[in-house]
Amino acid sequence: MAKIKKHPTKKWEISFIELEDDKIKRFKVTKRVPDLLVAETKFFKSKKRAKKQFDEWLK
């Protein structure tokens, strides 16, 4: 499950990806600026916290 959105006025892209190992589920939220080759990534154990970070970066 990958979800990518672009900020309406700024030039960054934000992605939300669910990663799953044998028994562990983690969520990865990344904010990147393609023009500058810069990215910030955060990993979460909770989908709720990952979604909160995703929504915060979209503001």
Side-chain angles (χ1 to χ4, degrees), residues 18-31:
E18 181 178 326
L19 306 168
E20 189 172 353
D21 262 350
D22 294 332
K23 295 181 181 179
I24 301 171
K25 214 181 243 193
R26 295 187 191 247
F27 302 92
K28 177 178 149 184
V29 182
T30 302
K31 174 173 70 170

Side-chain angles (χ1 to χ4, degrees), residues 1-13:
M1 173 185 115
K3 183 177 183 181
I4 299 174
K5 286 193 175 183
K6 292 187 177 185
H7 193 278
T9 58
K10 298 179 180 150
K11 293 186 178 186
W12 62 55
E13 297 175 351

Side-chain angles (χ1 to χ4, degrees), residues 10-58:
K10 298 179 180 150
K11 293 186 178 186
W12 62 55
E13 297 175 351
I14 303 165
S15 64
F16 182 95
I17 299 172
E18 181 178 326
L19 306 168
E20 189 172 353
D21 262 350
D22 294 332
K23 295 181 181 179
I24 301 171
K25 214 181 243 193
R26 295 187 191 247
F27 302 92
K28 177 178 149 184
V29 182
T30 302
K31 174 173 70 170
R32 65 186 208 100
V33 182
D35 296 342
L36 299 177
L37 301 174
V38 174
E40 179 179 355
T41 300
K42 293 187 178 184
F43 289 91
F44 298 91
K45 292 180 183 177
S46 163
K47 185 174 184 176
K48 184 177 179 180
R49 288 185 180 179
K51 176 78 169 109
K52 183 179 177 183
Q53 182 66 60
F54 181 83
D55 292 338
E56 185 179 309
W57 278 346
L58 276 178

